[in-house]
Amino acid sequence: MAKIKKRGESGAAKNYITRTQALKKLQISLSDFRRLCILKGIYPREPTNKKKANKGSSAPASFYYSKDIMYLLHEPLLNTFRQHKTFAKKLARALGRGEWALAKGLEDRKPDARLDHLIKERYPTFKAATMELNDPLSLLSLFERLPKDPVPGRTQVPVEVTAECARLVNEWKVWAIRTHALRKVFLSIKGIYYECEVPSGESGSTVPVRWLEPYEFTQHVPSDVDFRILLTFLDLYRTLTSFVLYKLYTDENLVYPPPMDVQLDQRGEGVGKFKLVEREADEDRDGEQPKTADGKRITKKDVKRGIKSVQRAGDAVDEDEDEEMVDATEEAVEEEFVHHPGKNEDGADAASGPLPTYTSLLVSSSNSENTTPAFQIFSPYTFYLSRETSSRTWEFIIRAFGGKVVTHLEPTTDATQSNSLAGPEGDKITHVIIDRPMGKSKMRELQGQRKWAWVQPQWVADCANRREILPSGQGSGYEPGGALPPHLSPWDGEGEVYRPWLEQDKPEASQVEAAAEGDDVEMADDDEEEEEEDEDEDEETVKPETKTTITPALLAASRDPTNETLIHQAELEAESLGISHDAFKKSLDKLVKEHKETPQGSAAEKAKKVAVADEDMRKIMMTGKKQRLYTKMTYSNNEKKAEQDKLEQKRQAIEKRKKKEAKSKLAQAAAAA
Amino acid sequence: MKKQRPATNAVASSSSTSASGLGKKRSRKQQVAEESEEDDELSGVVGSGKQVDNEQVDEIDLEEDEEDDEFEIDTGSSNGDLDDFVVADEDEDDVEDDGDLADSESEEDSQAGLDLDDEEGYNSSDIDALDSEAEEDEDGVLTPATSLGSSSDLDKLIKKHTSKPSESEWGTDKFSSAKEGSGRLRKSRFVEGSWVREYEEFEAGYGSESSTEENTNTIGNIPIEWYDDLPHIGYSVDGKRIMRPAKGDELDKFLATVEDPDSWTTAEDKLLQKQVQLSDKELDIIRRLERAENPDAGFDNYQSTIEWFTGKGNEMVMPLTNRPEPKSRFVPSKWEHKKVMKIVKAIREGRIIPNRPPVEKPKVYAIWSKEDQERTPHAMYMPAPQLPPPKTVESYNPPEEYLFDEQEKAEWEAQEKEDRKLDFEPKKYASLRTVPGYEGFVQERFERCLDLYLAPRTKKVKMNIDPESLVPKLPSPKELRPFPTTSAVQYRHPASSRVRCVSVDPRGEWVASGSEDGVVRVWDLGNGREVWKWPLKMGAVQSVEWCPNRDESVLAATVSGRVYLLSPLALVSPTVAQTTLTHLNTAFASSSASTAQNEPRKAPDAKWVRPTEDERDRGILVIVEVAGTPKHITWHRKGDYFSTVAVDAANKSVLVHQVSKHQTQSPFKRTKGSVQRVAFHPTKPHFFVATQRYVRLYDLVGQQLLKTLMSGLKWISSMDIHPGGDNLIIGSYDKKLCWFDLDLSSKPYKTLRYHTKALRSVIYHRTYPLFASASDDGTIQIFHGTVYSDLMQNPLIVPLKVLRGHNIKDGLGVLDVKWHPTKPWLVSSGADGEVRMWT
C-alpha cells in the first residue's frame, strides 16, 4: 500500500508561508522584513489554491515562497540589522548620558550595511542587471529632483543621497554620450523617456534600457507616499547602478568613477562636469596618474587649471605634446567647451579651461560599435541651445547623437551688431534650438550673414527617433512658433498599430530626403479616394431625380442589357412617362453599371456571409474549453480593433472638419479679393 | 509584644501621655510598697493584710484616675465624656500597667545590680517556707484564732517581708493565694455539715494570663451575632455577664459623627460592641502602617553598626596566616609578555598599524565576469514584469484624435481611479515650453515600488495564437453535397394549427401530417396539394408514421387513447390496396372466434377494434384502443410490428403491437424512469428505450438488458438509430445533441450544443450520410455524419447548413422533421402550422 499522505506536509501547504509566519520564523519586525524583502527581491506569491496554501483557512493572507524565507535566515543583512539595533541602543544610551567621546567612538564604528553581495545574488549576470535597469534609472532621476524634506515632518532625504543620485544619472548619461547608446527619445506629458541600448556582454547583443526623467520642476509629493520604502529601493538601485556603471566604464577602458570638475558642478553643469579618464594598461590603483585621451590638446595652462579644479586629476602630461599642439587648442576650445551664461566674464574665462570632455574622447572610441553613423545623425552639426530649452535634456540628446552644443555665445564687441550672436562659435553653429516664437526679422538680425536653421526642440527628438534629419524649414512646423507636427511615441506601433496616415501628417514640404516614393503613391491614392467620395456625394444629389423615373421594365432591362425586347419595353414605358430618350439612356446605363457592380458586390457579400456561416458551423464542433478561449480571444481582439477604429474615425472626422474650415477660409479670402 | 512595649516606652523619652503617666506611677508604686509594708507591720495578719493591700491599691487607682482626668484636661481631653464603663476599663488597664511596671522595675533593679536579692527571693527554701505557711494556713483554718494570735508567726512574717521587699513576692503571693486559703469558710448550702471556702473577688494581676489581654469579654472568636438576642454580650474573666452597652439608634450615631469632631478616630470593638476611641498612639500606628513604615515609632531603621572588630582600638594586630606572599605576585607573566612582544614586533614591522581606520572594501568593483552563470530556470522564479513602453497618447503633442472629446472626458472622470484605462488625461501643448510638471510622478514611482515588493506574483500563460487556429479543420460543406438547402414546397394547413408530426411515404410520394385540430392529412410530396384527410376528432394527432413496407400503404396515427391504422386506399394501386387490406384484416376473422375465450382470462394491453363500415370506406382500417396518450409511434423495419410510447400510461407506457395478429404486448412489467422514446434496431432483434436521462438497449429475443448509455443530458426529447445500427443520436430539451458510438463507449462520442432552444426531433437519413435536428428556436440544422466501416476511425460529423423558415409561435418552433426515404430532401413541420419540404 502506498504511504498515506498527511495533510499540510506537502504541496502548497509546504511551499507557501504566510507573512506572519515568516516574521515569527525570522524574529524580526515588520519594517525589517519589508527592507529585507525589498533588498533581496522577495515578493509574495499568488498560490493557485489559497485555501490549501493556508492550511485550510480561507482568511486573507499574503503568501511567500517558504524557501525564500528559509534563505533569508542565513542572510548577512539580517545580522547587520541586529548589529545596527544594538548600535542604536548604545548610541542613544551614550548620548543620553552625555558621554560624547563614547558616542563618537560608536559612531565611527557604526555597522555598515553593504549590498554588493545582493547585487551579485539578484543579478547573476551583467545581462540580468541591465535588463532590470529601467526602474532604478527612473527612480534615480526622480530623486535627483527631490528636495531634502519632500513631505514636511516625515522621512527626510539626505542631501548626499540626492547628490549621489544626480551623480549616477549624469555618469550614466556621460556613458551614453560616449558610446552613442541613446536610441529613442519621447517627450511625454509625464516627462522624457529615453531608451539606451546597453551591450549585455554576450557577442554584441544589446539590452534596451528605458527610463523616464521628470521635467525640471519641483515635484508634487503626496503626503501618503512612504519615503522609507522609496529610500530602501533607492539604496539597492544606487548600488546596482554604480556597479553597472563600473562595468560599462571599465569595458570602455575608462576610469570609474570619473573625476568630477568641482567648479563646473557648482555651476550646475550636468553631463559636462565629468572628466573621462582612460585606464592605464597596468594600472594598479584607480585614478592615479591618469592620462587623458586627448592629452595632446591640453596646454600647460589648462593643465594647471585642471589641477586646481580637479583634485584627483593627475598632472603628468607631456609638455612636448602640448607645445606641438598649441595651434590645435583654440579649435578644441571652440569645439568642446560649453559656455555658460550668467557668469562674470573674467571668472568664466578663468574657469573655462578646455577640460577634456566626452567629445574629445570620441575620437579615441570611434572604433566602438555604436559609433556607426546611423546613430550619429547630428555629427556634422553644431547646436546652439536657447536659454529656455533645458540644456540637461537637449545637450545630452544632441551629444548622444553625435552633435555639438553651444549653450551660450558671447555678444560681439562690435557695436554695429550688438544684437547678433556672433564670435567664432557663431560661425560654427548650424542649428539653433529655440522654444519660443520669434519673428523672422529678429532671427535674421541675430544670425547675421550666417545660415542657421531655427528649430523647436521637438525636431531634435523626432530626428533622433527616425534616425534622419527632418526638414526644418518654413512650413515644416518645426520653425519657431510654428504649429508642430504631432509627436509620436517611438515605441508605439512597433508591430502593433500601423498608421500610414501619420506619415501623411508629416510635412509635405519634405522635398529634401524624407518623402519616400511609396508615401507619394499613398497620398495619390488617398486623393483619388477623396475624389471618388466627392463623386459619390454628387451622385447622391442627383439620384433623387432619377429614382422617380425607374420603372419595373427599366429595372428588368438593366438586369439583362442584351435582351432587346426588355429594353424596348422599358423605352416604351419611359416614353409613356414622358422621359426624354437621353435621360432614359443615362438612367439605363447607370442602372446597368450598378447592376454590374452589385452582383459582384453581392456575390462577394454572399461569399463573405457563407464564409461567416461556415465559420459558425465549424465552431459547433469545438470543445467547450476551446470555445471559451476562442470567445475570450476574439473579444479582446475586437476590443483592440474597436479602439483603433474609433481612433481612425475620430481622425477622419477631424480631417474633414479641418478641410472644411480651410475651404471656407479660402472662399472667404477669394470673396475678399 | 505587650511586655516589650512598656519597656521600650520607658526607654524612649517620648512625649506620649502614657509614658509620662507611667513615670508618675512608678514613683507611686514605690510608695505603695512602703505603705504595704507598714500596713503589714500594723495589722500583722496575713489574710487580712492582703485585703488591705488591695484596698490600698484601689485607692491609689482612684487617685490615679483623678490624675488621669487632670491630665486629659490638660491635653485637650481626648475622652472627655467617659462613661462608667470606660472608667472601669481604665481601672483594669491601670492594674495591668501596675503589673507591667513591676516587671519593668524588676528589670531595672536587676540591671542596677540587685541580682543577689532576686535570687534570694526565688530560692527553694522560700518556696518551702511558703508551702509550710500554706500548710499552716490550712491548719489555721481549723484553728483560726490560735494561729492568728501566735507571735512567732508574726515575727516570721515580719522578718520575711522586711528581708524580701521584692515585687516578685507579689506574683508568688497572688499565684499561691488559692493554696493559701485566703477565702472565708462558710457552711455549705447543699451538703449539710460541710464547709465551703468562699473567695474574694479575683483580681487579675501580674502573672495572670488574662492580665495580658485588654479584652475582658471571654467569649473568644465566635460570631457575636449569637448574643444578639441576649441582654449580655459575653462574660468577663470571672464569669460575670457583660451587659450590652447602651447603643443609640442610627440617628444618634449619625449625630455623633456630626457633632463629635473626634468620631473619625473611633473604631468599633466588636467584642464589646461599642465604639472605642483610638488613642494617639494607636492612630500613630495606623498612620505608620498606611505609610508602610515600621509601626513602632521608636524603631530606628538606620542604626549605626556596632563596630566590634574595627575602628580605633579594635584593630586586629595578628595576621590570619603565616604564609609568605608567593613570587608570582611580584613577577610579571611570561606568557603575557610573549603575547605583548608579538604585538610589539608586529607594530614595529608595520604589520599592525595602531589606530588605523578600518580597511574599506572599494565601493564598486568588477562584480560580474565572463564566468557568470545564468540563473537556472525555476518554476518559482518570477521576475517582475517591466512597465510597458509609453504610447503616443502620452505624448505632449499627440495627434488630435488621441485627445478626449467631452463624452470621453466625462466618462474618464466618472470612472474610479483604479478602473481607468489611462491614468492621465491626454493633453496637447503647442510647444514644449508650455508643458507643466506632471503631478503624479512621485505617486506613480511609489506605486511601482509597492507593486515590486507587495504585489503577489503568479505565472499566467498568455496565449499568443491566432484564434482561428482553435477552430477545427473540417471539409467544406460544398464537398459534401447533396444536402437540403432551400425550402421547396410548403404544405399549408388551413387552420394554421400546430402540426405535431409529419411522415414521408416509403415510396416517397406522399407526406402525411398530423395537426392539433385532430386531422391527419396526406399531401402530394411534389406539389404540396392535399390529397386525403382523416378528421379523427379525438384531439390532437400526436404522431403519424408510415409503415416502412413498400408493398403496403399503412399509416399509423395516434391520438389520445387510440392508435389508428389508416390507408388512403383510393390513391394506391389495387395490388397495394389488396395486400394492405389482407395484412390488416386477416386477424379480425380469426380473433372474432377466439375473443370469447380470451376475454375473461386477462385484461388485454390493448383492444383491437374494427371500425364501422363508413369509417372503413374512408380508409380507417383498424383502431387500437390503448391506455394513456401514445405520443410516439415507431415501426419495425419489416412493417408488421410497431411500438407506441404513452408516457402517462404507467407500466403500459411501452407497447409493441403486431399488425398481422392484432396482438399487443407490453414488454416491460415495470419501466425504470419515464420512457420518452423507443426504437427498433435496424438489423438485430434489439430494442432501444430512452428514458429521461439514459438509453437502454434490450435484447428482445434473450429478454435482457444489453447496454445502458449514459447521455449526461437532463431530459431526452428524441432519438434515432443510424441505419448501420451502431450509432445513435439523441436530442434533448437542454439544447444538446449527443452522438453515441455503441462500439466505443457508453458515454457520448460527441455532445454538441448549437441550438439556442430545446431540440424536438433528430433523425438520420436512411441512405445518405446526413442527419438533422429540429429545435424550438425555429431552425433545422443539417449535419453530415459519415460512419466508417473501419472500426478504428471515428465517425465524421460536419455541420452543413442551418435551415431557417419556420416561425416561432408560443415558444415553439420546428416540431418534427423526417427525411425523404431516397432523396436528400427533408420534410419538417412547425408550430406555425406549416409543413415544408427542403431540397
Side-chain angles (χ1 to χ4, degrees), chain A residues 165-223:
Chain A
C165 289
R167 183 177 64 80
L168 288 170
V169 169
N170 280 323
E171 280 170 1
W172 172 263
K173 283 181 175 176
V174 167
W175 170 82
I177 289 169
R178 154 103 174 177
T179 55
H180 300 290
L182 189 63
R183 290 289 174 273
K184 285 164 186 173
V185 182
F186 177 51
L187 309 167
S188 86
I189 54 170
K190 292 182 179 176
I192 301 170
Y193 287 91
Y194 302 101
E195 188 177 281
C196 274
E197 270 188 1
V198 182
S200 65
E202 296 159 6
S203 64
S205 64
T206 54
V207 174
V209 173
R210 182 180 55 244
W211 78 97
L212 170 62
E213 195 178 67
Y215 287 119
E216 287 172 284
F217 290 106
T218 312
Q219 293 298 320
H220 166 78
V221 184
S223 57

Side-chain angles (χ1 to χ4, degrees), chain A residues 525-536:
Chain A
D525 284 351
D526 283 1
D527 288 351
E528 276 175 19
E529 278 171 23
E530 279 159 25
E531 279 165 28
E532 278 174 13
E533 273 176 32
D534 287 357
E535 275 178 12
D536 286 349

Side-chain angles (χ1 to χ4, degrees), chain A residues 45 120 122 489 496 499, chain B residues 372 375 380 390-391 402:
Chain A
R45 319 292 180 118
K120 179 73 179 168
R122 287 188 66 173
S489 163
E496 282 178 37
R499 290 166 306 164
Chain B
D372 287 340
R375 192 192 292 270
M380 293 304 271
K391 302 272 179 193
Y402 283 95

Side-chain angles (χ1 to χ4, degrees), chain B residues 593-606:
Chain B
S594 59
T595 37
Q597 300 160 2
N598 285 350
E599 262 180 44
R601 207 177 64 194
K602 191 181 126 192
D605 294 324

Side-chain angles (χ1 to χ4, degrees), chain A residues 16 34 38 42-46 65 114 116 119-126 129 131-132 134-135 138-139 142 186-190 193 202 210 212 214-215 217 219-222 224-226 229-230 233 237 242-244 246 256 394 435-437 456-458 484-489 491-492 496 499 501-502 614-615 617-618 620-622 626 629-630 633-634 637 643 646-647 650-651 654 657-658, chain B residues 361-369 372-375 378 380-384 386-405 408 421 423-433 435-439 441-446 448-450 452-458 463 465-468 470-474 476-477 750 752 754 781 783 797 799-802:
Chain A
Y16 295 104
R34 184 184 65 206
I38 291 170
I42 288 167
Y43 41 86
R45 319 292 180 118
E46 185 83 9
Y65 184 41
R114 286 186 65 109
D116 32 1
I119 302 297
K120 179 73 179 168
E121 189 184 288
R122 287 188 66 173
Y123 314 103
T125 57
F126 181 59
M131 277 159 72
E132 303 265 309
N134 296 2
D135 288 317
S138 299
L139 199 66
L142 169 65
F186 177 51
L187 309 167
S188 86
I189 54 170
K190 292 182 179 176
Y193 287 91
E202 296 159 6
R210 182 180 55 244
L212 170 62
Y215 287 119
F217 290 106
Q219 293 298 320
H220 166 78
V221 184
D224 58 341
V225 167
D226 190 350
I229 294 170
L230 283 176
F233 268 102
Y237 287 167
S242 60
F243 274 102
V244 168
Y246 182 87
Y256 184 83
W394 300 108
D435 199 4
R436 57 184 158 165
Q456 293 199 40
Q458 194 196 316
L484 284 163
H487 180 60
L488 308 180
S489 163
W491 295 279
D492 210 352
E496 282 178 37
R499 290 166 306 164
W501 71 86
L502 291 175
D614 255 11
E615 202 184 30
M617 298 283 204
R618 283 191 291 134
I620 291 173
M621 298 307 294
M622 280 158 86
K626 278 189 174 173
L629 190 61
Y630 181 86
M633 288 173 95
T634 43
N637 287 358
E643 219 162 81
K646 199 179 173 190
L647 267 185
K650 268 172 98 178
R651 185 191 68 82
I654 288 165
R657 200 191 65 215
K658 276 186 177 170
Chain B
K361 233 175 148 188
K363 276 215 157 180
V364 280
Y365 50 90
I367 203 167
W368 293 289
S369 66
D372 287 340
Q373 293 286 313
E374 288 252 346
R375 192 192 292 270
H378 190 268
M380 293 304 271
Y381 174 63
M382 308 168 201
Q386 297 292 352
L387 288 173
K391 302 272 179 193
T392 297
V393 67
E394 211 181 306
S395 168
Y396 87 102
N397 179 20
E400 250 175 88
E401 63 264 25
Y402 283 95
L403 302 176
F404 285 159
D405 52 27
E408 279 171 321
K421 268 188 181 173
D423 50 357
F424 56 89
E425 192 195 337
K427 287 258 171 69
K428 193 176 174 80
Y429 297 98
S431 66
L432 192 60
R433 178 187 39 150
V435 180
Y438 180 59
E439 261 212 347
F441 200 98
V442 177
Q443 184 72 41
E444 273 178 23
R445 280 291 112 203
F446 179 60
R448 169 70 178 167
C449 286
L450 286 186
L452 282 178
Y453 94 96
L454 272 184
R457 293 186 200 169
T458 185
M463 296 288 279
I465 52 163
D466 181 19
E468 293 311 312
L470 294 169
V471 181
K473 303 271 173 296
L474 291 173
S476 162
K750 272 270 185 314
L752 307 175
Y754 48 92
Q781 175 82 43
F783 285 91
I797 306 170
L800 295 175
K801 179 80 187 163
V802 184

Side-chain angles (χ1 to χ4, degrees), chain B residues 549-601:
Chain B
N549 190 349
R550 288 166 66 93
D551 299 336
E552 298 169 8
S553 177
V554 181
L555 180 68
T558 62
V559 288
S560 179
R562 279 184 180 187
V563 180
Y564 287 93
L565 294 179
L566 314 163
S567 181
L569 291 171
L571 296 175
V572 297
S573 64
T575 47
V576 172
Q578 193 51 50
T579 38
T580 307
L581 282 172
T582 46
H583 185 214
L584 294 180
N585 289 337
T586 41
F588 282 123
S590 55
S591 67
S592 57
S594 59
T595 37
Q597 300 160 2
N598 285 350
E599 262 180 44
R601 207 177 64 194

Side-chain angles (χ1 to χ4, degrees), chain B residues 500 542-543 558 629-633 644-648 676-677:
Chain B
R500 285 205 177 182
Q542 302 288 343
S543 173
T558 62
T629 310
K631 294 243 171 176
H632 176 65
I633 191 163
T644 55
V645 180
V647 180
D648 50 355
Q676 303 296 314
R677 288 290 158 107

